[in-house]
Every structure is written in C-alpha cells, then in structure tokens.
Amino acid sequence: MGIWMPLGSGISNAAGRNKPRINAVTRRAAAILDANSALLLLVKEQRCEQSYKELFVYYSPRICTFLRQRGADHRTAQDIAQEVMVKIWRKADQFDPTRAKASTWIFTITRNQYIDNIRRTKRYEVDADDPLLVQALPVSPEELMMRQCDQTDIAVAMKSLPSQQEEVLTLSYVQGKKQREIAEELAIPLNTVKSRLRLGIERLRKAMENR
Amino acid sequence: MAQFHVSQEWLTAYATGAVGEAASALIAAHLTLCPECRTEVTELENLGGVLLDAINPDKTDAEQQFGRSISANARPQSPDTIVKDQRLFTGALAKIAPRPLLEFANRHCGSVDLESLPWRPYAPGVKRAVLSNGRSDLIARFVKAQPGSRFPHHDHGSDEMTIVLQGAYRDHTAVYSVGDVQSIGEDDPHQPVIEGDEVCVAFVISEKPPIPTNFIARLAQRVIG
C-alpha cells in the first residue's frame, strides 16, 4: 500500500466506486488533470478499455526502457513492464488524482515491481491504517489538485536545469543509482553529487513555488 | 512531532528504490510519524513520474503486446484485497512501533512481542536484540535501555541510523525523542545516555555493528555478543 492512498476522505467514496458515474469533484479534477491522469481516472471509474489501451501504448515501452536503463535485460524488462501494466489495470481503483498524478503512481508501481523482481528485497511503506500515523494538517482537495498541476512545471523546469544537475537527477531516478555509485561513475566526489542533487531538487521546487 | 529527520540522501534513496530492507523499514517508520518527510517523499516520487514521462522509449510494438496482454491477463478482475494479519498489530511493541517495524520484526524473528525479542545484554541496563535480514547488506537491532543507563562510548564502522520509539536519549549532539532519527557517519564516536525516567526503546540499522572505542568494551562485546 502506498502513501498516495487517501488518508482521509478522498474522492473515492463507497457510493461512487462501483458506479460508472463520475462525481462532481472528479469532473473538476479531470478538467485540470494531465491527459494520462484523466485516462487513468476513466479506467478507475468506468473500467474503460480504450483508455487503458492508450496508457498501455504510452507507458509500456517507457517502463521497459526505464528498467533496461536500470540494468535489466530485454526479456526481464518486458516481463516486468507487463506485470506493471496488469497492476495498473487491477489497482486502478486505488488511484487518487488528488494525491498523485498518473505518472507518479505508475513510477511507484514500477519501482516496487523492480524491487520485487530484480533486487528481491522487501520494501516497507507507510500503512494508512497505522494507529501511530501522525496526520498532516488538513489540505483542501482543491489545493491538492493544484499541487498536481505543478508537475507540468517540473517537467519544464527539468529542461532548464544545468546539464550537470540534470545528469545527476537522471542517474538517481531513472537508473536508480545510489549517490556513491553516481560519484564513482562520473568520477566526481560524493559531496559534489550530493550538492548537485540538492541544488537540482531545490531549483525544481522553486520553479513549483513561483508558478 | 519529530525534530530530527531522515537525511535527504536517504529519503531520495527510499523514493528511488535504492535502499535495502532494514533501511526501508526504519524510513517507513519515521514517515509514519512525520508528515513533513512524507510530503518530501511524495515530491521526490512526483519527480520520478516526470522522469518516467521524459524517457525516450526503445522502439517496441506496444500495440501488438497490448493485444497479447489483454487476452491473457488484463480482463477486468476484482481488485486485489490486502489481507492484514491483525495479530501483528497487538502487543506491547505495537503500542510504540509503527507497522513497518512490526512487519520487519515479525519477518526476521517471528515475534512482535516486545518481551520475546531475542534480547541480549550489551551494557549495564542496556539490552540489544539483533535482527539480521539474512544478507550482509544491513543489520538491524532493537535497543532497550533503562532510565539513567549509558551506552559504552563507541565509534561506527559505517553509517548508522537510529529511530527512537519510546523515551529519549542524549549524546553530545542533542536529545533524541520519539520519532526522531539520528544519522551517524563513520568515525563519529558518541556515548548515548538515557534521558528522563522512561525506558528508552530504539531501532538501529548499520552496515556493520558499531565498533566500541574502548578496548575493554570491545572485548566485552565480543564475550557478551
């Protein structure tokens, strides 16, 4: 279970879940969602196969390439990508567009499948039902949706990053390398990796704040 | 509310999937207790999504694969139901440890009862229960220390991370209480002393066990284990 799951009242109330009717909040969300999140919402709300197919054609090759960059061979990458796509279909009702964009949600599923299949290690995540969970101060659904919109700006800001920062961010995220490994690969000190990563992330965050 | 947090380096490693099992248990425990760090991880995951979208994919015949997949697997199915073993979540440890640590303890010593962890004496008033994940990537342990007790002054052979689950301790850097995480680097000796009148319980991970700086303590550790 991931931390994108609704902790309080999300848009997925029990009444709406089984009906192919899209409620008002969802409709408002869809109006400002990126295309892929809107498609995923259609899969969630209506089990729409055409929307799922569009997501499949878009994400399946990307996931494959992502895994190959992380060192998986072609066959393994295809198998894992396939498993991820099946999970997207099966778990679509857990997708909450007020908490995460489709790309974020699919990134976390891919990451976890990669950990299961390749690193063969167990990963622990926050349990939304944990009685010890310390709740964040409440944020309105509207504000959460606005935050999701920020990601389009991150994508734009990524392109404006100095190439050294972009390189370190890409090695860290796309290739899943530890900071020590990045330092070795680029033959630069660990502290330089840390500072480039930090500067890159700070810069992206500023881009979001200054929207 | 936690005052000391998981470092940016570890949060990034957690969000990208580069951490080992014990570190992920400790980090998920801190995230349970710290909404700020949860938000941070969510932002880092958003970035992962942006980078996934930005990939220039290899050429594949996705349409054809889709045809194969939808006939084999992807017909509508009832959603996966997550069955949680509620027995895991009762007992003394459950009152102080977030669920990721309960699952970790259950997986590696079959117990989530605070009293029946494999406790062994470490120093006067201090006990440790070592939980190995069966591989050498990280070792993890619970530590339980009586009020007023102090740890042997020790150095660290590798990075070490501690999360406090009950009570508090003090060293030369600060006082650490429930939810706080202390990260200690290699060659960074310290001597924690229990603060307050409550038994202190903490969960600690490191790549190697801490090395006592004091020769006698080192010998004692070898004898006591």
Side-chain angles (χ1 to χ4, degrees):
Chain A
M1 181 181 304
I3 54 176
W4 60 78
M5 298 252 329
L7 301 179
S9 56
I11 61 160
S12 58
N13 54 55
R17 188 170 296 161
N18 297 320
K19 293 181 188 172
R21 186 177 61 84
I22 302 180
N23 69 35
V25 180
T26 308
R27 208 164 30 234
R28 238 184 307 148
I32 57 167
L33 285 180
D34 64 292
N36 287 334
S37 295
L39 287 172
L40 188 51
L41 202 57
L42 283 169
V43 174
K44 169 184 171 154
E45 301 277 348
Q46 305 185 344
R47 302 261 106 202
C48 172
E49 288 193 13
Q50 185 54 40
S51 302
Y52 177 68
K53 185 173 180 182
E54 285 183 40
L55 287 173
F56 191 102
V57 170
Y58 180 85
Y59 276 113
S60 160
R62 280 180 170 74
I63 293 168
C64 231
T65 305
F66 175 86
L67 293 163
R68 284 172 59 75
Q69 286 174 348
R70 285 195 170 198
D73 63 58
H74 185 66
R75 178 81 217 163
T76 311
Q78 274 197 333
D79 288 348
I80 297 178
Q82 189 67 37
E83 285 182 62
V84 171
M85 293 314 301
V86 170
K87 281 203 170 148
I88 291 170
W89 176 261
R90 285 196 194 160
K91 297 187 167 193
D93 68 323
Q94 293 174 15
F95 171 64
D96 179 353
T98 65
R99 298 219 151 246
K101 242 175 93 163
S103 59
T104 304
W105 192 69
I106 292 170
F107 165 75
T108 57
I109 294 177
T110 306
R111 173 196 67 197
N112 294 354
Q113 199 68 47
Y114 162 84
I115 293 171
D116 279 356
N117 292 37
I118 295 189
R119 299 200 51 221
R120 293 181 187 280
T121 176
K122 177 145 174 63
R123 176 185 175 82
Y124 296 89
E125 297 197 333
V126 173
D127 183 337
D129 297 328
D130 197 324
L132 296 182
L133 186 79
V134 176
Q135 298 282 355
L137 294 173
V139 181
S140 70
E142 283 75 14
E143 185 172 333
L144 280 166
M145 276 178 230
M146 294 310 290
R147 285 187 194 172
Q148 303 316 324
C149 292
D150 291 345
Q151 287 179 68
T152 319
D153 302 304
I154 302 183
V156 174
M158 272 292 285
K159 294 201 172 71
S160 73
L161 283 184
S163 61
Q164 291 178 328
Q165 290 171 18
E166 193 195 344
E167 176 180 49
V168 171
L169 276 169
T170 304
L171 283 169
S172 177
Y173 275 91
V174 182
Q175 304 192 15
K177 296 212 158 108
K178 293 185 183 179
Q179 298 185 6
R180 282 195 185 92
E181 294 166 352
I182 297 172
E184 278 167 28
E185 186 172 324
L186 300 179
I188 52 175
L190 179 60
N191 281 336
T192 310
V193 174
K194 285 185 185 179
S195 66
R196 281 183 194 169
L197 199 54
R198 188 172 37 91
L199 287 172
I201 290 172
E202 267 170 24
R203 194 155 167 159
L204 292 180
R205 187 167 300 149
K206 277 218 184 82
M208 288 164 71
E209 282 165 5
N210 296 338
R211 255 172 6 99
Chain B
M1 200 75 91
Q3 299 294 314
F4 298 95
H5 303 273
V6 174
S7 69
Q8 185 74 35
E9 179 181 10
W10 278 105
L11 285 183
T12 308
Y14 182 80
T16 58
V19 298
E21 183 180 345
S24 94
L26 188 149
I27 293 166
H30 177 72
L31 294 177
T32 304
L33 302 172
C34 181
E36 283 170 52
C37 286
R38 280 209 298 280
T39 304
E40 184 70 30
V41 167
T42 305
E43 285 183 13
L44 292 164
E45 287 171 344
N46 286 341
L47 189 50
V50 170
L51 290 162
L52 182 61
D53 274 345
I55 282 178
N56 188 15
D58 299 337
K59 272 196 176 158
T60 53
D61 196 346
E63 293 255 2
Q64 200 192 342
Q65 280 172 27
F66 179 74
R68 280 201 299 271
S69 82
I70 197 152
S71 56
N73 299 309
R75 289 281 151 197
Q77 290 184 12
S78 56
D80 296 344
T81 43
I82 301 156
V83 182
K84 293 175 193 164
D85 186 352
Q86 294 299 324
R87 279 172 305 175
L88 267 183
F89 305 140
T90 54
L93 190 58
K95 291 195 176 67
I96 58 170
R99 289 185 172 182
L101 289 185
L102 298 178
E103 288 173 36
F104 184 86
N106 184 54
R107 194 171 148 92
H108 295 294
C109 73
S111 172
V112 289
D113 183 0
L114 193 58
E115 297 314 314
S116 57
L117 289 175
W119 294 112
R120 305 194 66 177
Y122 177 60
V126 184
K127 286 181 175 175
R128 300 198 307 180
V130 176
L131 288 78
S132 166
N133 64 0
R135 291 204 297 267
S136 57
D137 55 345
L138 277 180
I139 65 158
R141 55 201 177 275
F142 285 92
V143 179
K144 187 166 67 170
Q146 298 300 316
S149 60
R150 57 181 57 224
F151 283 68
H153 191 260
H154 61 274
D155 204 343
H156 306 88
S158 61
D159 291 349
E160 183 182 279
M161 210 168 13
T162 302
I163 181 167
V164 180
L165 304 174
Q166 178 181 286
Y169 69 86
R170 167 198 296 280
D171 70 2
H172 65 285
T173 58
V175 174
Y176 297 89
S177 356
V178 174
D180 285 338
V181 170
Q182 183 181 22
S183 297
I184 305 173
E186 221 171 311
D187 304 322
D188 195 0
H190 76 154
Q191 180 172 35
V193 178
I194 302 313
E195 179 90 353
D197 50 12
E198 198 175 10
V199 173
C200 179
V201 180
F203 179 73
V204 187
I205 63 157
S206 60
E207 288 167 13
K208 290 180 220 154
I211 305 158
T213 40
N214 176 310
F215 179 70
I216 296 184
R218 198 180 305 176
L219 263 185
Q221 194 185 11
R222 199 171 294 166
V223 175
I224 310 170

